[in-house]
Each structure stands twice: as C-alpha cells, then as structure tokens.
Amino acid sequence: MPIFVAATFLSACLVFLVEPMVAKMVLPLLGGSPAVWNTSLAFFQFALLFGYAYAHLLQRVKSLKTQALVHIAALALAVLALPLRVTTLLGPASNDHPALWLLGVLAISIGAPFAVLSATAPLVQAWFARVYRGEGAPQPYPLYAASNLGSLLALLAYPTLVEPFSTLAHQRMGWSALYICFAILLSVVALRAARQGGEVVVEQPTEVTPRPSWKTRLGWLLLSAAPSSLMLGVTNHLAMDVASTPFLWVGPLALYLLTFVIAFADKPPIRLNQALLAQAVIVPICAAFAPYVTGPIAFQIILHLATFFVTALVCHLVLVGKRPAPDHLTEFYFWMSLGGVVGGGFNAFVAPLLFSNVWEYPIILVLALLARPWEGWRIDRWRLGVVATCIVLTVLAPITAQLWGYDSDELEIVRKGLLLGAAIYAVPVRNLTPYFVGLVALISFCAEHVGDRINSGPSFRNFFGVISESIETDDDLGDIKIISHGSTLHGAQAQDPELRCKPLLYYNDATPIGAVFAKVTSAPTPVRMGVVGLGAGVVSTITRPGDVLDYFEINPVVVKLAKDPEEFTFLSNCSKGKVNVILGDARFTVEEQPNQLYDFLMIDAFSSDAIPAHLMTVEAMKIYLAKLKPGGVLMVHISNRNLELASPAMAVAKAAGGYARLNDFDTDEEGYTSAALTVMIVGKSAQVVDQYAVGEGWTATPPEVVRPWTDDYTNLMGALIRRAKQEWANATAPDDDEDEAEDDSAATDDEGEGEDDTETAAPTPPVAAAPANPATKP
C-alpha cells in the first residue's frame, strides 16, 4: 500500500507544480500576456485527457507484465525531455500566431513527461485493484485521497514557498530530479504489480443498465465545461489588472480542484442546497460589481474567487447527481474530462475570435446558472412584483448615467447602490430559474454600461489583450480620443486641430515625465531615443528635426491604430524627427540594438494595470544600461494601483550597477492635463541622474529595501502585500486638515481671538499614496 500511495501522491505533486512553473518560464517570451496561462492551461487539460486515454488503452493489454514494460519505456522516453526547459526548436515567439507557437513549445518542452504523469492515477488504481483483490482486500480510496492531497499541496506551495524562495533555475532542476525519482518509483510499482497481479482477463462487461442517451452525455459535457471555462475567465479577469503571475493563477485552479474533492466525496461537506443558496446570493453581486476594477483589490479577488467557487461547486454537485450506473462510469469520466477540454479551449482559442472584448466570463457565469433546478415558468404575484422591482432598479443605473454623465462620484455611488439593490432583489426568485437567470443577465448587461471599464468606441482583441477606443469630453480640451488596455490608458489625443499635438496625462509638461522630456530635448544636438510601449505614439511629439525615436511594441493592433491617421495622428502629423516602430517583445528587440546607442530610453509597458515583470529584472536593466550612451538616461514608468513596484525597481537599478532616483508624483489637476504617477530615472553615474532629476519629489531612497528581481526570481506577492499595507496606512492615517483645524481651535481657546498670533505647526508628511492610473472613464 505505501508504495502505491507514494507514487500517486508524487505524480499529483509534479503535475500541479509544473503547470505554473512552465507557464512562468514561457511568460517573458510573450510579453507577460495573461493569455499565456489560459493557453497553457488549455494545453494541460488536453494533455491530461491524452494521458487518460493512454491509460485506458493500456488496460486492454492482457498481460500486466507487458503493461509494466510499455509504461517503463514511456517513462524512459519522457526523461529525454529533461532537464525541464523551454525549447528553441520553433524559433522566437510569433507575433501573428502566438497561441499556436505556444502550443508547439509546450508540446515539445513538457508534453511527454506531463502525459506520462497524467496517466499515473488511473494506471496505479487499476494495478492496485489487480494486486489487492478478493474478500477483505484494501480499497483504492487512499490513492484518490493521496492524489487530491498532492495536487492541493503543490498548488498552494508554489506561490507561497517555491516561487518566493527559489529561482527558476533551481525550480527546473529540482522538478527534473523529482521526475527521475518518480520514474524509478513507478517502475518499481509496475514491476511489483506485474509479479503479483497475474494475467488481466479482458471480458466484455454485461450491461445491466441502458446506455446513456446523447442528451445525458451532452449534460455531462456542459456541466464539466462551464467550471473549466469559468476558471480561465476569472483568472484572466484578475490577471488583467494585477499581474500575470502564478500566485493569481493557482488560486482558481486550486478552488476548481477543491470543488471536485467536495462534490465526489461520499458525504459532501457542502450539500447542494447550501451551494445553491450561496450561489444565489453572491453571483448577482458579482455581476453588479465585476465591471468596477478600480476598487480595493482584496475585495475584487475575494468576490470573484468566491463566485467562481460556489458556481463550479454547484455544477459539479449536479454532475455527481447525474452519474450513471457503475457499468458506465468509464464513459462518464471520459465525457467529464472532455468537458474540461472544451471549456478551456473555448476561452483560450474560440472566445478571442468570437468576442471583441472579454465577454466570455460574464456570459458563462450567467449560463452556468442554468444548472440550477428547473421548476418551470409559473410565478406568483408577490414574486412578480419582486422581479419588476429588480428590473426597475437595474435599468435606472445606465439611465442616470446617460442623463447626468459618468463623472460625478456621488452619482457613481447611487448607481452602485441601484445595482446592489437589484442584486438583493434577485435572491427571492432564486428557485425560479428562468427568471433568476434573466435578472442576473440584465444586471450584468447594465453594469457593463456603467462600470469604470466603459468604452464608447470599438474594441480590438488578440492574444495580447483587449485594446479599446473611446471619446471623452473635457471642459478645457473638448473631445478627446482615448486608447486603453483594460483600465489603463495607453494614450489620449485632443480632437481640436490646434491641440492635437499636445501631450496629455502622464506626458504633460506638468508631470515629472514631461520635465525629463524637456531636459532631453534641450540638448543642442539631435538625440536618439527609444520607448518601450507605443500606445498612441504620444512621445513622438517631443522629437525635433534630426532626432530619431525607436518604438518597441509587441501588440500588432496597437501598431495598426497608432499608424492610422484616421485613429491617431501623433506619428503622422506631430513628430518632427524620424520614428521607427519595431514589433516584438521589447526585452529581445532592445537587446538587438547596438550598445551605447541611446541618449534616452523609456520603459512604459503597461499590460492593463500590470507591468510585465520580465522587463523589470536585473538582467533587463543591464541590457537597458548597455544601450545608453555615457550621458544617457533611462526612465521607467512604474505606476500601479495594486502592486508596490518602486522598491524592487530601485533595488534592480542598484544591482545592475545604475544610479536611480524615484518620484512619486501626485496632482490636484482634474481631467487630462496631468496625472498622478510613479516614475524612476536611472543612469550610469550619479552626476547624469542629477542632471535629469530636476524639480521636486525626486529621492534616492527606496520606499522599502527588498530583494531585487531577476529572471530567476520575482516576488509579485510581496509587491501586492506592500501596496495593501500602504493603502491601510493611508486609510488609518489622521487627516492633516483636521489636525490643523484642531490646533487652530485649541490656540484660539487658549489665547483669546488669536487671529494674529496663532501659529500652525507644519503638518506631518502623509504616507506615500498609491498612484492612481486614470481609468478609461476618468
């Protein structure tokens, strides 16, 4: 028994350790896109199905000895793919078909070991049943428990223990060594089973129950596909505005696995009626607030993960209730596995072709409610009144926005209150499934029209994300066209012909970035500049005759929009120097440029609100510094609502041999003439940096001393925690104005009227606040 349990436990650990590890290895090759994990997970689901099919076919071999020898050969062949690494056989990443390139890379790099590992659970259970048979023989349940325990422990260990405390190189070699140990262990299990199990007599089973209908099979597939799709949908939703990183990947995957454990238990700790009630409460709330992405990140993560968990659990509990008789269990598990592949494949490959925005998450969330018990369309009078009230509250939210606009904070609170009220009113009709589904769909639809991701123009979607356009109106500037990625602006251009070449937001003259621009363009001779992140092409407005500007951009859609004069005219009409656009991941395209080429280099590569971590490592910083002339300067834009990036950025600059200054800039300006931001400048000497660190706010002291990030080590979990601490400190810090008023009042009480001799103490400097990137709707 122990050796069977050990083999099952170790295989599950290796499977769920390698998934986030390999995705993290591939992530820098594709610009840090959240789609890397979705595509990778879809591949792993297919490989898992392939492993199950292989195990099923191997069981048709009569001799256990032959089975053992075949599988030992498969283990040995898979070892040839080690040590674990990303293959270079397919060349550099493709910008035109990145998903196909990624599938090929994963198949070559990890396909064989992963498929062999996936086959372990069914094979070992089959061998166990052959070795331990007869009356009083032990049951295979410990193997199922060991598999689930190994999977959950590995998923939880990777972001909390493995990733923060070990480098990728150590992870790769450690996993490869563990796989070899596993191959030896499983070979021993196979040979022992072959000696003790004897011949497998393949008999045609006698069916005692009718074969499942195609309707039943379709039900199995859909009930399995919905949670799989939701898992990728919620991961993509969270990763888009935080970071594409394992600590956000494994949460939904662990909860997905946990719902299987609960649903397939002999006595589920959460019963179906309890899960249905929890789903009825939380799903309408999630539908109402999902489009609001600028709120507290902890609230967003908890809300979406809880919604996903209860919805997936309902689907899996209903699925277990539809299990067939034992003589059809093999077919049941096949359709269940196929449903997982269908759900993951839909999100990874089909949805980007069907939708111009990430609509699959709210759509599948609503459709998954159809798994609830169906009691028909009959409705009594009081519930009809509840439905009507819910509809009125829901539609009032977008109506108020259309009548009075989106800019008022007070009206936004009213709209959120209306949507929350509608979500509460949907709960009483939870047992009337068609009405409940319709109400949640209406809430989701209306919330999308008032959330802070609202866009009034077209959206363009590809592997690298969703790029949206919209037109906003500013009191001083008039109409402004905006290009955005998720909740982060990539550029804004005034439509007034006289203002079209005026830099707005981060790049305005009033910001530290604008001040550095002014210093760069004050040079008496032409300068060579490089900018990572094209956006709308705003930086081209600072070029002079003779200047050369190289843009580095990974997303072909962004390049197309920036170059099209019908969309934005910064490149076509506002630049006075020569502008080149180089397509590809900036980490590699910048490295291809000659050393000491640039007078000025800027990293401004937002992926929604997250900056690709591979552009902020010591190795990347050394590349940037090598491309600078001796008097050149590097500027890194690290504004982020959810991650505290200033500390690791300063540590990276120092570890790479550079000298850095940081500016955490805030502004009272409203609209598009300025924006709060955090920016760092780096040079090869302190003297060079001092020349550019003009104005107030520049400091050489990092907010917190942390370990610098490298290609082998990043700690985004730590960055998230530090930002949360800052937000808490800001929320609990005393208000300076109130303290000042209290001081004035006390002085007046003590000294009479005190108008001439009251002296107000200097206020205590506030804790550094998180710079807020303007959302698509300011």
Side-chain angles (χ1 to χ4, degrees):
M1 172 68 76
I3 195 172
F4 283 91
V5 172
T8 305
F9 177 84
L10 185 55
S11 69
C13 284
L14 289 172
V15 163
F16 285 94
L17 277 175
V18 79
E19 290 187 12
M21 189 186 305
V22 170
K24 184 177 180 180
M25 291 163 57
V26 178
L27 196 62
L29 305 179
L30 290 166
S33 170
V36 169
W37 174 244
N38 280 7
T39 306
S40 299
L41 198 56
F43 167 82
F44 290 131
Q45 289 174 320
F46 179 80
L48 185 70
L49 183 62
F50 182 86
Y52 284 169
Y54 159 76
H56 177 69
L57 292 175
L58 192 60
Q59 289 307 300
R60 296 192 175 187
V61 177
K62 293 183 178 181
S63 170
L64 270 180
K65 181 177 180 181
T66 303
Q67 288 187 29
L69 293 176
V70 170
H71 197 59
I72 289 173
L75 289 167
L77 287 174
V79 170
L80 298 178
L82 303 179
L84 186 63
R85 61 193 181 277
V86 177
T87 182
T88 58
L89 296 177
L90 299 183
S94 167
N95 290 94
D96 296 324
H97 305 287
L100 294 177
W101 178 89
L102 178 56
L103 290 175
V105 166
L106 292 173
I108 297 173
S109 302
I110 192 62
F114 191 89
V116 172
L117 286 168
S118 300
T120 300
L123 274 179
V124 170
Q125 289 185 53
W127 293 342
F128 182 92
R130 185 59 184 167
V131 171
Y132 296 97
R133 49 189 173 171
E135 186 176 352
Q139 297 298 310
Y141 298 119
L143 302 182
Y144 181 76
S147 177
N148 289 325
L149 180 62
S151 303
L152 283 173
L153 288 179
L155 279 176
L156 297 176
Y158 189 83
T160 57
L161 298 175
V162 177
E163 185 187 25
F165 299 108
S166 62
T167 66
L168 263 179
H170 291 152
Q171 293 173 33
R172 293 190 300 108
M173 299 308 296
W175 189 90
S176 301
L178 283 174
Y179 180 85
I180 294 175
C181 294
F182 161 78
I184 296 172
L185 177 63
L186 193 59
S187 298
V188 173
V189 172
L191 293 175
R192 177 170 294 184
R195 287 197 306 269
Q196 299 179 0
E199 290 290 316
V200 177
V201 180
V202 179
E203 300 178 351
Q204 294 296 328
T206 302
E207 293 192 9
V208 295
T209 59
R211 292 181 63 85
S213 65
W214 283 105
K215 181 180 179 180
T216 300
R217 293 165 179 158
L218 181 61
W220 294 342
L221 186 144
L222 293 177
L223 287 169
S224 303
S228 177
S229 173
L230 282 177
M231 176 177 59
L232 295 188
V234 71
T235 304
N236 191 49
H237 183 86
L238 293 175
M240 186 179 294
D241 286 291
V242 181
S244 191
T245 176
F247 82 80
L248 282 179
W249 296 342
V250 302
L253 183 55
L255 292 176
Y256 176 74
L257 185 63
L258 183 59
T259 61
F260 275 111
V261 175
I262 295 173
F264 282 83
D266 289 336
K267 295 181 179 180
I270 302 176
R271 296 188 299 273
L272 178 59
N273 61 337
Q274 296 170 328
L276 288 170
L277 177 60
Q279 183 191 38
V281 173
I282 198 167
V283 169
I285 296 175
C286 183
F289 289 99
Y292 290 94
V293 298
T294 56
I297 185 61
F299 170 76
Q300 295 181 52
I301 292 176
I302 293 172
L303 175 65
H304 288 284
L305 291 184
T307 302
F308 161 68
F309 173 75
V310 297
T311 303
L313 182 59
V314 166
C315 290
H316 287 152
L317 286 169
V318 174
L319 180 66
V320 169
K322 296 181 179 295
R323 279 185 300 182
D327 51 322
H328 297 299
L329 277 182
T330 302
E331 185 177 6
F332 171 73
Y333 285 121
F334 168 79
W335 284 98
M336 189 173 67
S337 300
L338 183 61
V341 173
V342 169
F346 173 76
N347 279 54
F349 309 117
V350 179
L353 300 178
L354 291 180
F355 307 125
S356 62
N357 212 318
V358 189
W359 302 126
E360 62 270 19
Y361 174 43
I363 289 174
I364 298 299
L365 184 61
V366 171
L367 292 179
L369 296 175
L370 294 174
R372 299 176 65 84
W374 196 280
E375 298 181 5
W377 292 87
R378 294 179 61 87
I379 183 172
D380 53 38
R381 182 173 299 178
W382 84 269
R383 284 192 177 89
L384 186 61
V386 170
V387 170
T389 303
C390 182
I391 293 174
V392 171
L393 291 173
T394 304
V395 299
L396 276 177
I399 289 175
T400 58
Q402 290 295 323
L403 291 177
W404 295 294
Y406 296 88
D407 297 338
S408 171
D409 292 337
E410 291 78 11
L411 285 176
E412 181 170 308
I413 294 175
V414 171
R415 291 193 294 270
K416 288 181 178 180
L418 290 170
L419 292 172
L420 178 60
I424 294 173
Y425 266 86
V427 177
V429 294
R430 62 186 182 277
N431 294 328
L432 301 174
T433 299
Y435 295 97
F436 182 69
V437 173
L439 290 177
V440 175
L442 181 63
I443 292 171
S444 180
F445 179 80
C446 291
E448 289 288 345
H449 283 74
V450 297
D452 48 28
R453 267 186 176 167
I454 181 171
N455 297 290
S456 57
S459 296
F460 310 90
R461 184 178 183 182
N462 63 6
F463 184 86
F464 301 103
V466 177
I467 302 298
S468 303
E469 288 185 349
S470 58
I471 299 291
E472 300 290 344
T473 302
D474 184 86
D475 293 338
D476 298 323
L477 303 174
D479 287 344
I480 298 173
K481 176 175 281 191
I482 298 168
I483 179 174
S484 60
H485 185 166
S487 61
T488 298
L489 300 184
H490 276 293
Q493 184 175 33
Q495 299 303 287
D496 186 334
E498 296 183 0
L499 300 174
R500 283 204 166 190
C501 295
K502 178 181 176 63
L504 303 176
L505 296 170
Y506 316 110
Y507 308 119
N508 190 263
D509 297 340
T511 70
I513 292 180
V516 173
F517 285 166
K519 178 64 178 178
V520 171
T521 55
S522 67
T525 58
V527 296
R528 182 72 176 256
M529 296 177 282
V531 177
V532 175
L534 172 59
V538 183
V539 182
S540 64
T541 60
I542 71 171
T543 58
R544 307 165 300 174
D547 291 344
V548 179
L549 171 60
D550 294 331
Y551 271 116
F552 301 92
E553 174 60 51
I554 194 172
N555 194 335
V557 171
V558 174
V559 175
K560 181 180 178 181
L561 293 175
K563 285 187 171 182
D564 187 353
E566 298 296 323
E567 302 290 346
F568 294 93
T569 60
F570 289 123
L571 296 183
S572 57
N573 297 338
C574 299
S575 59
K576 299 180 178 63
K578 181 181 179 182
V579 179
N580 306 309
V581 179
I582 302 170
L583 187 63
D585 186 271
R587 175 69 182 269
F588 307 103
T589 52
V590 170
E591 189 173 15
E592 293 172 351
Q593 307 308 308
N595 288 341
Q596 299 190 14
L597 177 64
Y598 294 107
D599 298 280
F600 172 73
L601 191 58
M602 181 177 181
I603 312 300
D604 190 8
F606 288 100
S607 177
S608 191
D609 200 42
I611 299 173
H614 70 290
L615 298 180
M616 288 184 56
T617 64
V618 173
E619 293 83 353
M621 183 65 67
K622 289 180 177 179
I623 294 173
Y624 307 147
L625 292 176
K627 306 307 171 184
L628 291 177
K629 295 178 181 178
V633 68
L634 167 71
M635 183 160 59
V636 186
H637 188 185
I638 52 177
S639 303
N640 197 282
R641 285 191 303 267
N642 304 315
L643 303 175
E644 192 279 313
L645 300 172
S647 298
M650 295 284 280
V652 162
K654 181 179 179 181
Y659 298 82
R661 299 286 187 275
L662 181 73
N663 198 320
D664 196 3
F665 175 77
D666 203 355
T667 178
D668 295 329
E669 296 288 337
E670 296 182 358
Y672 293 87
T673 56
S674 185
L677 57 92
T678 302
V679 65
M680 179 180 72
I681 55 174
V682 188
K684 296 181 178 180
S685 69
Q687 292 77 13
V688 170
V689 174
D690 289 339
Q691 294 175 12
Y692 289 89
V694 294
E696 298 179 353
W698 293 101
T699 176
T701 304
E704 186 175 334
V705 177
V706 299
R707 179 179 174 182
W709 292 358
T710 66
D711 287 350
D712 273 343
Y713 170 83
T714 55
N715 188 4
L716 287 162
M717 175 70 81
L720 183 67
I721 293 173
R722 288 193 302 275
R723 173 62 77 222
K725 289 180 178 178
Q726 288 183 351
E727 295 291 344
W728 175 255
N730 291 336
T732 57
D735 187 270
D736 292 333
D737 293 336
E738 292 180 2
D739 292 345
E740 188 173 328
E742 291 175 3
D743 292 341
D744 289 343
S745 176
T748 302
D749 291 340
D750 292 340
E751 303 176 21
E753 294 182 357
E755 293 181 0
D756 296 329
D757 50 21
T758 299
E759 182 176 348
T760 303
T764 302
V767 178
N773 288 341
T776 304
K777 176 184 68 62

Coordinates of all heavy atoms in Angstrom, one line a residue, residues 715-748:
N715 N 8.9 38.5 -7.1 CA 8.0 38.3 -5.9 C 6.8 39.3 -6.0 O 6.8 40.3 -5.3 CB 8.8 38.5 -4.6 CG 7.9 38.1 -3.4 OD1 6.8 37.7 -3.5 ND2 8.5 38.4 -2.2
L716 N 5.9 39.0 -6.9 CA 4.8 39.9 -7.1 C 3.8 39.8 -5.9 O 3.1 40.7 -5.6 CB 4.0 39.5 -8.3 CG 4.8 39.9 -9.6 CD1 4.2 39.2 -10.8 CD2 4.6 41.4 -9.8
M717 N 3.8 38.7 -5.2 CA 3.0 38.6 -3.9 C 3.5 39.6 -2.9 O 2.6 40.3 -2.3 CB 3.1 37.2 -3.4 CG 2.4 37.0 -2.0 SD 0.6 37.0 -2.1 CE 0.3 35.4 -2.7
G718 N 4.8 39.7 -2.8 CA 5.3 40.8 -1.9 C 4.9 42.2 -2.3 O 4.6 43.0 -1.4
A719 N 4.9 42.4 -3.6 CA 4.5 43.7 -4.1 C 3.0 44.0 -3.8 O 2.7 45.2 -3.5 CB 4.8 43.8 -5.6
L720 N 2.2 43.0 -3.9 CA 0.8 43.2 -3.6 C 0.6 43.4 -2.1 O -0.2 44.3 -1.7 CB 0.0 41.9 -4.0 CG -1.5 41.9 -3.8 CD1 -2.1 42.9 -4.8 CD2 -2.0 40.5 -4.1
I721 N 1.3 42.7 -1.3 CA 1.2 42.9 0.2 C 1.7 44.3 0.6 O 1.0 45.0 1.4 CB 2.0 41.8 0.9 CG1 1.3 40.5 0.7 CG2 2.1 42.2 2.4 CD1 2.1 39.3 1.3
R722 N 2.8 44.8 0.0 CA 3.3 46.1 0.3 C 2.3 47.2 -0.1 O 2.1 48.2 0.7 CB 4.6 46.4 -0.3 CG 5.8 45.6 0.3 CD 7.1 46.1 -0.2 NE 7.2 46.1 -1.7 CZ 7.6 45.0 -2.4 NH1 7.9 43.9 -1.7 NH2 7.7 45.1 -3.7
R723 N 1.7 47.1 -1.2 CA 0.7 48.0 -1.6 C -0.5 48.0 -0.7 O -1.1 49.1 -0.3 CB 0.2 47.8 -3.1 CG -1.0 48.6 -3.5 CD -0.7 50.1 -3.5 NE 0.2 50.4 -4.7 CZ 1.2 51.2 -4.6 NH1 1.6 51.8 -3.5 NH2 1.9 51.5 -5.7
A724 N -0.9 46.8 -0.2 CA -2.1 46.7 0.7 C -1.7 47.4 2.0 O -2.5 48.1 2.6 CB -2.4 45.3 0.9
K725 N -0.5 47.3 2.5 CA 0.0 47.9 3.7 C -0.1 49.5 3.5 O -0.5 50.2 4.4 CB 1.4 47.5 4.1 CG 1.5 46.1 4.6 CD 2.9 45.7 4.9 CE 3.0 44.3 5.5 NZ 4.4 44.0 5.8
Q726 N 0.3 49.9 2.4 CA 0.3 51.4 2.1 C -1.1 51.9 2.1 O -1.4 52.9 2.7 CB 0.9 51.7 0.7 CG 2.5 51.6 0.7 CD 3.0 52.0 -0.6 OE1 2.3 52.2 -1.6 NE2 4.4 52.1 -0.7
E727 N -2.0 51.1 1.5 CA -3.4 51.6 1.5 C -4.0 51.6 2.9 O -4.8 52.5 3.2 CB -4.2 50.6 0.6 CG -3.9 50.7 -0.9 CD -4.2 52.0 -1.6 OE1 -5.1 52.7 -1.0 OE2 -3.7 52.2 -2.6
W728 N -3.6 50.6 3.7 CA -4.1 50.6 5.1 C -3.6 51.7 5.9 O -4.3 52.4 6.6 CB -3.8 49.2 5.7 CG -4.1 49.2 7.2 CD1 -3.3 49.3 8.2 CD2 -5.4 49.0 7.7 NE1 -4.0 49.2 9.4 CE2 -5.3 49.0 9.1 CE3 -6.7 48.9 7.1 CZ2 -6.4 48.8 9.9 CZ3 -7.8 48.7 8.0 CH2 -7.6 48.7 9.3
A729 N -2.3 52.0 5.7 CA -1.7 53.2 6.4 C -2.4 54.5 6.0 O -2.6 55.3 6.8 CB -0.2 53.2 6.1
N730 N -2.6 54.6 4.7 CA -3.3 55.8 4.2 C -4.7 56.0 4.8 O -5.2 57.0 5.2 CB -3.4 55.9 2.7 CG -2.0 56.0 2.1 OD1 -1.1 56.6 2.7 ND2 -1.9 55.5 0.8
A731 N -5.4 54.8 4.9 CA -6.8 54.8 5.4 C -6.9 55.1 6.9 O -7.8 55.7 7.3 CB -7.5 53.5 5.1
T732 N -5.8 54.7 7.6 CA -5.9 54.9 9.1 C -5.1 56.1 9.5 O -5.1 56.5 10.7 CB -5.3 53.7 9.8 OG1 -3.9 53.4 9.3 CG2 -6.1 52.5 9.5
A733 N -4.4 56.8 8.6 CA -3.6 58.0 9.0 C -4.5 59.1 9.3 O -5.6 59.3 8.7 CB -2.6 58.4 7.8
P734 N -4.2 60.0 10.3 CA -5.1 61.1 10.6 C -5.0 62.1 9.5 O -4.1 62.3 8.8 CB -4.4 61.7 11.9 CG -3.0 61.2 11.9 CD -3.0 59.9 11.2
D735 N -6.2 62.8 9.3 CA -6.3 63.8 8.3 C -5.6 65.1 8.7 O -5.8 65.6 9.7 CB -7.8 64.1 8.0 CG -8.0 65.0 6.8 OD1 -8.0 66.2 7.1 OD2 -8.1 64.5 5.7
D736 N -4.6 65.5 7.8 CA -3.8 66.7 8.2 C -4.7 67.9 8.4 O -4.4 68.7 9.2 CB -2.8 66.9 7.1 CG -1.7 65.8 7.0 OD1 -1.5 65.2 8.1 OD2 -1.2 65.6 6.0
D737 N -5.7 68.1 7.5 CA -6.5 69.3 7.6 C -7.3 69.3 8.9 O -7.4 70.4 9.6 CB -7.5 69.4 6.4 CG -6.8 69.6 5.1 OD1 -5.6 70.1 5.1 OD2 -7.3 69.2 4.1
E738 N -7.8 68.1 9.4 CA -8.5 68.1 10.6 C -7.6 68.4 11.8 O -7.9 69.1 12.7 CB -9.1 66.7 10.8 CG -10.3 66.5 9.8 CD -10.9 65.1 10.0 OE1 -10.4 64.4 11.0 OE2 -11.8 64.7 9.3
D739 N -6.3 67.9 11.7 CA -5.4 68.1 12.8 C -5.1 69.6 12.9 O -4.9 70.2 13.9 CB -4.1 67.3 12.6 CG -4.3 65.8 12.7 OD1 -5.4 65.5 13.3 OD2 -3.5 65.0 12.3
E740 N -4.9 70.2 11.7 CA -4.6 71.6 11.6 C -5.7 72.4 12.2 O -5.5 73.4 13.0 CB -4.3 72.0 10.2 CG -3.7 73.4 10.0 CD -3.3 73.6 8.6 OE1 -2.9 72.7 7.9 OE2 -3.4 74.8 8.1
A741 N -6.9 72.1 11.9 CA -8.1 72.8 12.4 C -8.2 72.7 13.9 O -8.5 73.6 14.6 CB -9.4 72.3 11.7
E742 N -7.9 71.4 14.4 CA -7.9 71.3 15.9 C -6.9 72.1 16.5 O -7.1 72.7 17.6 CB -7.7 69.8 16.2 CG -8.9 68.9 15.8 CD -8.6 67.4 16.0 OE1 -7.5 67.2 16.5 OE2 -9.5 66.6 15.7
D743 N -5.7 72.2 15.9 CA -4.6 73.0 16.5 C -5.1 74.5 16.5 O -4.8 75.2 17.5 CB -3.3 72.9 15.7 CG -2.7 71.5 15.9 OD1 -3.1 70.8 16.8 OD2 -1.9 71.1 15.0
D744 N -5.7 75.0 15.4 CA -6.1 76.3 15.4 C -7.2 76.6 16.5 O -7.2 77.6 17.2 CB -6.7 76.7 14.0 CG -5.7 76.7 12.9 OD1 -4.5 76.9 13.3 OD2 -6.0 76.7 11.7
S745 N -8.1 75.6 16.6 CA -9.2 75.8 17.6 C -8.6 75.9 19.0 O -9.0 76.7 19.8 CB -10.2 74.7 17.5 OG -11.1 74.7 18.5
A746 N -7.6 75.0 19.3 CA -7.0 75.0 20.6 C -6.3 76.3 20.9 O -6.4 76.8 22.0 CB -6.1 73.8 20.8
A747 N -5.6 76.8 19.9 CA -4.9 78.0 20.1 C -5.8 79.2 20.3 O -5.6 80.1 21.2 CB -4.0 78.3 18.9
T748 N -7.0 79.2 19.7 CA -7.9 80.3 19.9 C -8.5 80.2 21.3 O -8.7 81.2 21.9 CB -9.1 80.1 18.8 OG1 -8.5 80.2 17.5 CG2 -10.1 81.3 19.0

